[in-house]
Amino acid sequence: MPRSPQTETAVLGALSVQPMTGYALRAAIVETLGHFWHESFGQIYPALARAEAAGHVRRATAGRTSGQAFELTDEGRERLRDLLREPADPTPPRNGLLLRLFFGAAIGPDDCLAMVREAGERAAGAAERLDALHAEVLDETDPGAPYRALTVEYGRAIARAQRDWAERAAAVLDGLRD
Amino acid sequence: MPRSPQTETAVLGALSVQPMTGYALRAAIVETLGHFWHESFGQIYPALARAEAAGHVRRATAGRTSGQAFELTDEGRERLRDLLREPADPTPPRNGLLLRLFFGAAIGPDDCLAMVREAGERAAGAAERLDALHAEVLDETDPGAPYRALTVEYGRAIARAQRDWAERAAAVLDGLRD
DNA sequence: TATGTCATGTAACTGGTTACATGATTGC
DNA sequence: GCAATCATGTAACCAGTTACATGACATA
């Protein structure tokens, strides 16, 4: 039974853009929030049910044949503003790659090199995708667009930093092979 | 009852550097792995108990007056190598700052600016600390030093990217005010 | 009429955190 | 002898994931 305010924020936030079914909500979170946020499937419906009980969300009466879109109520919009203003609780860091690399001497440079190269490729791919996404966002003109652009720029900056580090790290590890 | 192989990796890894008590282990994980890894207190002892049951770790007989240092057995060293070679399972992203910023239009530029500035300051502080740490690691000469240096360089690269992004983002948000 | 996708939910489990309880050792 | 810190552990939660169960609707 998940009940973190962070999940609530994501759910209400996504519904603030447009009313959706739970199913569509999940897809929206994966697609548009995916590069910096994640909700597992089993969290969406309970979160929606709680939001409905709290009066933050209601089932839209609009004539849908299957499924019922949820829409934010005025209280929900208020609640979202409150949640957004709350300080983000920082996720404790857990970087599996660095954990392995830190003790890398135990397995030698070859295995480490493979890991670093793979991470570098993932980062390079992410950087490219975010470049494309950035170009898209810049074309949008609604009031939310500049904010969304900032999040894309963040992701891109991090992805580039990872990619460049991986390249340097690979060179160092290659030098350790001899 | 935590039992992830990641916790096991961190515990065995730390003990591979030198035998320690559970208490010291926790301190070591916070201090030296802190910038990319985290274990909560309640995980260390159960993990040690499991490692002891599996024969990966034994209580050192060395004449300590209080507490008993744990040391890796040969099986433990073997197990650590296996764990290090396993692919890291990527932590799903959850960036609270970006989640808020994405829906930033709902609360306006001022609140967003405050969040971004704070994040920027944290990143700048981290970058400085990692600069200092990097200088230290470069002085070390054991076979593990180059690997540890890579992890510090990673942290530094990310911290700098965050710091620089925050500065640019603050400028954009400042422009959105009026 | 069968297949795929949209849709809604639940239960069991894994992983992780927090708060508490307890005692030994060291330094003043 | 007292306080601080070192040390070991447990129990009760909280958070999050996965796998399962179910059915409606669209379309080929």
PDB file of all heavy atoms in Angstrom, chain B residues 135-166:
ATOM      1  N   ALA B 135      42.098  15.069  -4.863  1.00  0.00           N
ATOM      2  CA  ALA B 135      43.519  15.353  -4.596  1.00  0.00           C
ATOM      3  C   ALA B 135      44.091  14.314  -3.635  1.00  0.00           C
ATOM      4  O   ALA B 135      45.211  13.818  -3.830  1.00  0.00           O
ATOM      5  CB  ALA B 135      43.663  16.763  -4.018  1.00  0.00           C
ATOM      6  N   GLU B 136      43.291  13.948  -2.630  1.00  0.00           N
ATOM      7  CA  GLU B 136      43.753  12.927  -1.678  1.00  0.00           C
ATOM      8  C   GLU B 136      43.994  11.587  -2.358  1.00  0.00           C
ATOM      9  O   GLU B 136      45.029  10.946  -2.148  1.00  0.00           O
ATOM     10  CB  GLU B 136      42.700  12.721  -0.576  1.00  0.00           C
ATOM     11  CG  GLU B 136      42.764  13.737   0.547  1.00  0.00           C
ATOM     12  CD  GLU B 136      41.642  13.499   1.547  1.00  0.00           C
ATOM     13  OE1 GLU B 136      41.390  12.313   1.886  1.00  0.00           O
ATOM     14  OE2 GLU B 136      40.986  14.478   1.969  1.00  0.00           O
ATOM     15  N   VAL B 137      43.019  11.164  -3.137  1.00  0.00           N
ATOM     16  CA  VAL B 137      43.122   9.832  -3.762  1.00  0.00           C
ATOM     17  C   VAL B 137      44.320   9.753  -4.698  1.00  0.00           C
ATOM     18  O   VAL B 137      44.976   8.713  -4.804  1.00  0.00           O
ATOM     19  CB  VAL B 137      41.824   9.480  -4.512  1.00  0.00           C
ATOM     20  CG1 VAL B 137      41.953   8.143  -5.214  1.00  0.00           C
ATOM     21  CG2 VAL B 137      40.653   9.439  -3.553  1.00  0.00           C
ATOM     22  N   LEU B 138      44.606  10.870  -5.356  1.00  0.00           N
ATOM     23  CA  LEU B 138      45.741  10.853  -6.296  1.00  0.00           C
ATOM     24  C   LEU B 138      47.068  10.611  -5.581  1.00  0.00           C
ATOM     25  O   LEU B 138      48.037  10.171  -6.192  1.00  0.00           O
ATOM     26  CB  LEU B 138      45.793  12.172  -7.073  1.00  0.00           C
ATOM     27  CG  LEU B 138      44.719  12.353  -8.137  1.00  0.00           C
ATOM     28  CD1 LEU B 138      44.977  13.604  -8.953  1.00  0.00           C
ATOM     29  CD2 LEU B 138      44.618  11.131  -9.044  1.00  0.00           C
ATOM     30  N   ASP B 139      47.117  10.897  -4.283  1.00  0.00           N
ATOM     31  CA  ASP B 139      48.344  10.670  -3.515  1.00  0.00           C
ATOM     32  C   ASP B 139      48.514   9.211  -3.116  1.00  0.00           C
ATOM     33  O   ASP B 139      49.591   8.809  -2.678  1.00  0.00           O
ATOM     34  CB  ASP B 139      48.339  11.533  -2.240  1.00  0.00           C
ATOM     35  CG  ASP B 139      48.755  12.967  -2.546  1.00  0.00           C
ATOM     36  OD1 ASP B 139      49.367  13.182  -3.615  1.00  0.00           O
ATOM     37  OD2 ASP B 139      48.475  13.858  -1.713  1.00  0.00           O
ATOM     38  N   GLU B 140      47.407   8.449  -3.214  1.00  0.00           N
ATOM     39  CA  GLU B 140      47.493   7.061  -2.761  1.00  0.00           C
ATOM     40  C   GLU B 140      48.084   6.186  -3.862  1.00  0.00           C
ATOM     41  O   GLU B 140      47.908   6.458  -5.052  1.00  0.00           O
ATOM     42  CB  GLU B 140      46.095   6.576  -2.339  1.00  0.00           C
ATOM     43  CG  GLU B 140      45.599   7.344  -1.123  1.00  0.00           C
ATOM     44  CD  GLU B 140      44.098   7.235  -0.898  1.00  0.00           C
ATOM     45  OE1 GLU B 140      43.454   6.474  -1.638  1.00  0.00           O
ATOM     46  OE2 GLU B 140      43.576   7.910   0.004  1.00  0.00           O
ATOM     47  N   THR B 141      48.764   5.125  -3.447  1.00  0.00           N
ATOM     48  CA  THR B 141      49.536   4.360  -4.431  1.00  0.00           C
ATOM     49  C   THR B 141      49.175   2.873  -4.476  1.00  0.00           C
ATOM     50  O   THR B 141      49.779   2.122  -5.227  1.00  0.00           O
ATOM     51  CB  THR B 141      51.046   4.475  -4.122  1.00  0.00           C
ATOM     52  OG1 THR B 141      51.244   4.091  -2.750  1.00  0.00           O
ATOM     53  CG2 THR B 141      51.529   5.889  -4.322  1.00  0.00           C
ATOM     54  N   ASP B 142      48.220   2.449  -3.680  1.00  0.00           N
ATOM     55  CA  ASP B 142      47.868   1.028  -3.696  1.00  0.00           C
ATOM     56  C   ASP B 142      47.133   0.689  -4.992  1.00  0.00           C
ATOM     57  O   ASP B 142      46.660   1.589  -5.693  1.00  0.00           O
ATOM     58  CB  ASP B 142      47.012   0.695  -2.468  1.00  0.00           C
ATOM     59  CG  ASP B 142      45.659   1.369  -2.526  1.00  0.00           C
ATOM     60  OD1 ASP B 142      45.611   2.597  -2.264  1.00  0.00           O
ATOM     61  OD2 ASP B 142      44.663   0.712  -2.860  1.00  0.00           O
ATOM     62  N   PRO B 143      47.027  -0.602  -5.303  1.00  0.00           N
ATOM     63  CA  PRO B 143      46.439  -0.995  -6.592  1.00  0.00           C
ATOM     64  C   PRO B 143      44.991  -0.544  -6.759  1.00  0.00           C
ATOM     65  O   PRO B 143      44.514  -0.393  -7.885  1.00  0.00           O
ATOM     66  CB  PRO B 143      46.492  -2.531  -6.562  1.00  0.00           C
ATOM     67  CG  PRO B 143      47.446  -2.890  -5.481  1.00  0.00           C
ATOM     68  CD  PRO B 143      47.479  -1.765  -4.515  1.00  0.00           C
ATOM     69  N   GLY B 144      44.282  -0.310  -5.655  1.00  0.00           N
ATOM     70  CA  GLY B 144      42.891   0.101  -5.763  1.00  0.00           C
ATOM     71  C   GLY B 144      42.709   1.578  -6.044  1.00  0.00           C
ATOM     72  O   GLY B 144      41.616   2.014  -6.449  1.00  0.00           O
ATOM     73  N   ALA B 145      43.758   2.362  -5.856  1.00  0.00           N
ATOM     74  CA  ALA B 145      43.632   3.817  -5.939  1.00  0.00           C
ATOM     75  C   ALA B 145      43.070   4.315  -7.281  1.00  0.00           C
ATOM     76  O   ALA B 145      42.172   5.165  -7.286  1.00  0.00           O
ATOM     77  CB  ALA B 145      44.967   4.482  -5.623  1.00  0.00           C
ATOM     78  N   PRO B 146      43.551   3.811  -8.411  1.00  0.00           N
ATOM     79  CA  PRO B 146      43.023   4.342  -9.676  1.00  0.00           C
ATOM     80  C   PRO B 146      41.528   4.106  -9.824  1.00  0.00           C
ATOM     81  O   PRO B 146      40.815   4.945 -10.388  1.00  0.00           O
ATOM     82  CB  PRO B 146      43.796   3.551 -10.737  1.00  0.00           C
ATOM     83  CG  PRO B 146      44.987   2.999 -10.052  1.00  0.00           C
ATOM     84  CD  PRO B 146      44.619   2.815  -8.617  1.00  0.00           C
ATOM     85  N   TYR B 147      41.040   2.985  -9.318  1.00  0.00           N
ATOM     86  CA  TYR B 147      39.610   2.690  -9.402  1.00  0.00           C
ATOM     87  C   TYR B 147      38.819   3.657  -8.532  1.00  0.00           C
ATOM     88  O   TYR B 147      37.789   4.180  -8.936  1.00  0.00           O
ATOM     89  CB  TYR B 147      39.341   1.242  -8.970  1.00  0.00           C
ATOM     90  CG  TYR B 147      39.982   0.223  -9.869  1.00  0.00           C
ATOM     91  CD1 TYR B 147      41.265  -0.258  -9.621  1.00  0.00           C
ATOM     92  CD2 TYR B 147      39.309  -0.258 -10.987  1.00  0.00           C
ATOM     93  CE1 TYR B 147      41.862  -1.196 -10.456  1.00  0.00           C
ATOM     94  CE2 TYR B 147      39.887  -1.196 -11.824  1.00  0.00           C
ATOM     95  CZ  TYR B 147      41.162  -1.656 -11.560  1.00  0.00           C
ATOM     96  OH  TYR B 147      41.746  -2.573 -12.391  1.00  0.00           O
ATOM     97  N   ARG B 148      39.319   3.860  -7.328  1.00  0.00           N
ATOM     98  CA  ARG B 148      38.624   4.806  -6.440  1.00  0.00           C
ATOM     99  C   ARG B 148      38.630   6.202  -7.038  1.00  0.00           C
ATOM    100  O   ARG B 148      37.645   6.937  -6.959  1.00  0.00           O
ATOM    101  CB  ARG B 148      39.287   4.815  -5.065  1.00  0.00           C
ATOM    102  CG  ARG B 148      39.129   3.499  -4.325  1.00  0.00           C
ATOM    103  CD  ARG B 148      39.436   3.654  -2.838  1.00  0.00           C
ATOM    104  NE  ARG B 148      40.790   4.112  -2.572  1.00  0.00           N
ATOM    105  CZ  ARG B 148      41.851   3.314  -2.494  1.00  0.00           C
ATOM    106  NH1 ARG B 148      41.721   1.999  -2.677  1.00  0.00           N
ATOM    107  NH2 ARG B 148      43.045   3.807  -2.238  1.00  0.00           N
ATOM    108  N   ALA B 149      39.744   6.565  -7.667  1.00  0.00           N
ATOM    109  CA  ALA B 149      39.829   7.892  -8.283  1.00  0.00           C
ATOM    110  C   ALA B 149      38.745   8.056  -9.344  1.00  0.00           C
ATOM    111  O   ALA B 149      38.122   9.120  -9.452  1.00  0.00           O
ATOM    112  CB  ALA B 149      41.218   8.094  -8.896  1.00  0.00           C
ATOM    113  N   LEU B 150      38.481   6.988 -10.101  1.00  0.00           N
ATOM    114  CA  LEU B 150      37.443   7.077 -11.137  1.00  0.00           C
ATOM    115  C   LEU B 150      36.077   7.377 -10.536  1.00  0.00           C
ATOM    116  O   LEU B 150      35.296   8.138 -11.102  1.00  0.00           O
ATOM    117  CB  LEU B 150      37.384   5.773 -11.941  1.00  0.00           C
ATOM    118  CG  LEU B 150      38.555   5.517 -12.891  1.00  0.00           C
ATOM    119  CD1 LEU B 150      38.363   4.182 -13.604  1.00  0.00           C
ATOM    120  CD2 LEU B 150      38.692   6.648 -13.897  1.00  0.00           C
ATOM    121  N   THR B 151      35.805   6.765  -9.377  1.00  0.00           N
ATOM    122  CA  THR B 151      34.488   7.025  -8.782  1.00  0.00           C
ATOM    123  C   THR B 151      34.378   8.470  -8.312  1.00  0.00           C
ATOM    124  O   THR B 151      33.323   9.082  -8.404  1.00  0.00           O
ATOM    125  CB  THR B 151      34.186   6.077  -7.597  1.00  0.00           C
ATOM    126  OG1 THR B 151      35.037   6.394  -6.496  1.00  0.00           O
ATOM    127  CG2 THR B 151      34.367   4.630  -7.988  1.00  0.00           C
ATOM    128  N   VAL B 152      35.495   9.011  -7.821  1.00  0.00           N
ATOM    129  CA  VAL B 152      35.475  10.407  -7.391  1.00  0.00           C
ATOM    130  C   VAL B 152      35.304  11.324  -8.599  1.00  0.00           C
ATOM    131  O   VAL B 152      34.542  12.298  -8.552  1.00  0.00           O
ATOM    132  CB  VAL B 152      36.754  10.773  -6.621  1.00  0.00           C
ATOM    133  CG1 VAL B 152      36.756  12.244  -6.247  1.00  0.00           C
ATOM    134  CG2 VAL B 152      36.888   9.910  -5.377  1.00  0.00           C
ATOM    135  N   GLU B 153      35.969  10.973  -9.676  1.00  0.00           N
ATOM    136  CA  GLU B 153      35.856  11.792 -10.890  1.00  0.00           C
ATOM    137  C   GLU B 153      34.423  11.774 -11.426  1.00  0.00           C
ATOM    138  O   GLU B 153      33.935  12.787 -11.931  1.00  0.00           O
ATOM    139  CB  GLU B 153      36.835  11.290 -11.961  1.00  0.00           C
ATOM    140  CG  GLU B 153      38.265  11.710 -11.641  1.00  0.00           C
ATOM    141  CD  GLU B 153      39.303  10.841 -12.353  1.00  0.00           C
ATOM    142  OE1 GLU B 153      38.968  10.222 -13.384  1.00  0.00           O
ATOM    143  OE2 GLU B 153      40.448  10.777 -11.855  1.00  0.00           O
ATOM    144  N   TYR B 154      33.787  10.637 -11.316  1.00  0.00           N
ATOM    145  CA  TYR B 154      32.377  10.564 -11.730  1.00  0.00           C
ATOM    146  C   TYR B 154      31.536  11.521 -10.904  1.00  0.00           C
ATOM    147  O   TYR B 154      30.803  12.346 -11.428  1.00  0.00           O
ATOM    148  CB  TYR B 154      31.861   9.131 -11.566  1.00  0.00           C
ATOM    149  CG  TYR B 154      30.406   8.958 -11.952  1.00  0.00           C
ATOM    150  CD1 TYR B 154      30.056   8.491 -13.202  1.00  0.00           C
ATOM    151  CD2 TYR B 154      29.379   9.267 -11.055  1.00  0.00           C
ATOM    152  CE1 TYR B 154      28.733   8.323 -13.566  1.00  0.00           C
ATOM    153  CE2 TYR B 154      28.051   9.109 -11.409  1.00  0.00           C
ATOM    154  CZ  TYR B 154      27.735   8.636 -12.666  1.00  0.00           C
ATOM    155  OH  TYR B 154      26.427   8.484 -13.018  1.00  0.00           O
ATOM    156  N   GLY B 155      31.658  11.395  -9.591  1.00  0.00           N
ATOM    157  CA  GLY B 155      30.872  12.256  -8.714  1.00  0.00           C
ATOM    158  C   GLY B 155      31.113  13.722  -9.007  1.00  0.00           C
ATOM    159  O   GLY B 155      30.178  14.527  -9.025  1.00  0.00           O
ATOM    160  N   ARG B 156      32.361  14.053  -9.261  1.00  0.00           N
ATOM    161  CA  ARG B 156      32.713  15.433  -9.528  1.00  0.00           C
ATOM    162  C   ARG B 156      32.099  15.909 -10.834  1.00  0.00           C
ATOM    163  O   ARG B 156      31.561  17.023 -10.930  1.00  0.00           O
ATOM    164  CB  ARG B 156      34.238  15.526  -9.593  1.00  0.00           C
ATOM    165  CG  ARG B 156      34.759  16.905  -9.508  1.00  0.00           C
ATOM    166  CD  ARG B 156      36.251  16.885  -9.376  1.00  0.00           C
ATOM    167  NE  ARG B 156      36.894  16.203 -10.504  1.00  0.00           N
ATOM    168  CZ  ARG B 156      38.189  16.322 -10.771  1.00  0.00           C
ATOM    169  NH1 ARG B 156      38.957  17.066  -9.995  1.00  0.00           N
ATOM    170  NH2 ARG B 156      38.708  15.687 -11.794  1.00  0.00           N
ATOM    171  N   ALA B 157      32.169  15.064 -11.849  1.00  0.00           N
ATOM    172  CA  ALA B 157      31.602  15.444 -13.146  1.00  0.00           C
ATOM    173  C   ALA B 157      30.103  15.709 -13.027  1.00  0.00           C
ATOM    174  O   ALA B 157      29.582  16.686 -13.575  1.00  0.00           O
ATOM    175  CB  ALA B 157      31.871  14.349 -14.184  1.00  0.00           C
ATOM    176  N   ILE B 158      29.413  14.836 -12.296  1.00  0.00           N
ATOM    177  CA  ILE B 158      27.975  15.020 -12.136  1.00  0.00           C
ATOM    178  C   ILE B 158      27.672  16.274 -11.323  1.00  0.00           C
ATOM    179  O   ILE B 158      26.794  17.074 -11.679  1.00  0.00           O
ATOM    180  CB  ILE B 158      27.347  13.784 -11.447  1.00  0.00           C
ATOM    181  CG1 ILE B 158      27.542  12.529 -12.300  1.00  0.00           C
ATOM    182  CG2 ILE B 158      25.859  14.017 -11.171  1.00  0.00           C
ATOM    183  CD1 ILE B 158      26.891  12.566 -13.637  1.00  0.00           C
ATOM    184  N   ALA B 159      28.409  16.460 -10.248  1.00  0.00           N
ATOM    185  CA  ALA B 159      28.175  17.627  -9.390  1.00  0.00           C
ATOM    186  C   ALA B 159      28.390  18.919 -10.169  1.00  0.00           C
ATOM    187  O   ALA B 159      27.609  19.870 -10.052  1.00  0.00           O
ATOM    188  CB  ALA B 159      29.084  17.575  -8.167  1.00  0.00           C
ATOM    189  N   ARG B 160      29.433  18.950 -10.978  1.00  0.00           N
ATOM    190  CA  ARG B 160      29.687  20.154 -11.776  1.00  0.00           C
ATOM    191  C   ARG B 160      28.571  20.386 -12.779  1.00  0.00           C
ATOM    192  O   ARG B 160      28.122  21.522 -12.973  1.00  0.00           O
ATOM    193  CB  ARG B 160      31.012  20.006 -12.520  1.00  0.00           C
ATOM    194  CG  ARG B 160      32.213  20.145 -11.626  1.00  0.00           C
ATOM    195  CD  ARG B 160      33.479  19.887 -12.419  1.00  0.00           C
ATOM    196  NE  ARG B 160      34.666  20.085 -11.594  1.00  0.00           N
ATOM    197  CZ  ARG B 160      35.893  19.764 -11.989  1.00  0.00           C
ATOM    198  NH1 ARG B 160      36.089  19.241 -13.187  1.00  0.00           N
ATOM    199  NH2 ARG B 160      36.912  19.988 -11.187  1.00  0.00           N
ATOM    200  N   ALA B 161      28.122  19.314 -13.410  1.00  0.00           N
ATOM    201  CA  ALA B 161      27.041  19.451 -14.394  1.00  0.00           C
ATOM    202  C   ALA B 161      25.781  19.992 -13.720  1.00  0.00           C
ATOM    203  O   ALA B 161      25.090  20.854 -14.256  1.00  0.00           O
ATOM    204  CB  ALA B 161      26.760  18.109 -15.069  1.00  0.00           C
ATOM    205  N   GLN B 162      25.499  19.498 -12.527  1.00  0.00           N
ATOM    206  CA  GLN B 162      24.318  19.972 -11.798  1.00  0.00           C
ATOM    207  C   GLN B 162      24.473  21.444 -11.425  1.00  0.00           C
ATOM    208  O   GLN B 162      23.549  22.240 -11.578  1.00  0.00           O
ATOM    209  CB  GLN B 162      24.120  19.145 -10.531  1.00  0.00           C
ATOM    210  CG  GLN B 162      23.629  17.729 -10.786  1.00  0.00           C
ATOM    211  CD  GLN B 162      23.633  16.879  -9.537  1.00  0.00           C
ATOM    212  OE1 GLN B 162      24.451  17.090  -8.634  1.00  0.00           O
ATOM    213  NE2 GLN B 162      22.736  15.902  -9.476  1.00  0.00           N
ATOM    214  N   ARG B 163      25.642  21.773 -10.919  1.00  0.00           N
ATOM    215  CA  ARG B 163      25.901  23.153 -10.515  1.00  0.00           C
ATOM    216  C   ARG B 163      25.725  24.102 -11.703  1.00  0.00           C
ATOM    217  O   ARG B 163      25.038  25.126 -11.607  1.00  0.00           O
ATOM    218  CB  ARG B 163      27.338  23.241  -9.977  1.00  0.00           C
ATOM    219  CG  ARG B 163      27.785  24.601  -9.546  1.00  0.00           C
ATOM    220  CD  ARG B 163      29.303  24.625  -9.386  1.00  0.00           C
ATOM    221  NE  ARG B 163      29.978  24.339 -10.659  1.00  0.00           N
ATOM    222  CZ  ARG B 163      31.268  24.026 -10.775  1.00  0.00           C
ATOM    223  NH1 ARG B 163      32.027  23.925  -9.695  1.00  0.00           N
ATOM    224  NH2 ARG B 163      31.806  23.801 -11.961  1.00  0.00           N
ATOM    225  N   ASP B 164      26.311  23.739 -12.841  1.00  0.00           N
ATOM    226  CA  ASP B 164      26.252  24.620 -14.000  1.00  0.00           C
ATOM    227  C   ASP B 164      24.824  24.720 -14.547  1.00  0.00           C
ATOM    228  O   ASP B 164      24.378  25.794 -14.940  1.00  0.00           O
ATOM    229  CB  ASP B 164      27.208  24.113 -15.085  1.00  0.00           C
ATOM    230  CG  ASP B 164      28.656  24.159 -14.612  1.00  0.00           C
ATOM    231  OD1 ASP B 164      28.920  24.811 -13.575  1.00  0.00           O
ATOM    232  OD2 ASP B 164      29.515  23.525 -15.258  1.00  0.00           O
ATOM    233  N   TRP B 165      24.136  23.580 -14.549  1.00  0.00           N
ATOM    234  CA  TRP B 165      22.742  23.618 -14.997  1.00  0.00           C
ATOM    235  C   TRP B 165      21.920  24.531 -14.107  1.00  0.00           C
ATOM    236  O   TRP B 165      21.100  25.316 -14.579  1.00  0.00           O
ATOM    237  CB  TRP B 165      22.135  22.209 -14.976  1.00  0.00           C
ATOM    238  CG  TRP B 165      20.635  22.229 -15.127  1.00  0.00           C
ATOM    239  CD1 TRP B 165      19.944  22.296 -16.299  1.00  0.00           C
ATOM    240  CD2 TRP B 165      19.669  22.213 -14.078  1.00  0.00           C
ATOM    241  NE1 TRP B 165      18.596  22.322 -16.039  1.00  0.00           N
ATOM    242  CE2 TRP B 165      18.403  22.268 -14.683  1.00  0.00           C
ATOM    243  CE3 TRP B 165      19.761  22.152 -12.683  1.00  0.00           C
ATOM    244  CZ2 TRP B 165      17.220  22.275 -13.938  1.00  0.00           C
ATOM    245  CZ3 TRP B 165      18.597  22.153 -11.941  1.00  0.00           C
ATOM    246  CH2 TRP B 165      17.339  22.218 -12.569  1.00  0.00           C
ATOM    247  N   ALA B 166      22.132  24.414 -12.794  1.00  0.00           N
ATOM    248  CA  ALA B 166      21.347  25.220 -11.855  1.00  0.00           C
ATOM    249  C   ALA B 166      21.537  26.706 -12.130  1.00  0.00           C
ATOM    250  O   ALA B 166      20.587  27.492 -12.052  1.00  0.00           O
ATOM    251  CB  ALA B 166      21.733  24.888 -10.416  1.00  0.00           C
TER     252      ALA B 166
END
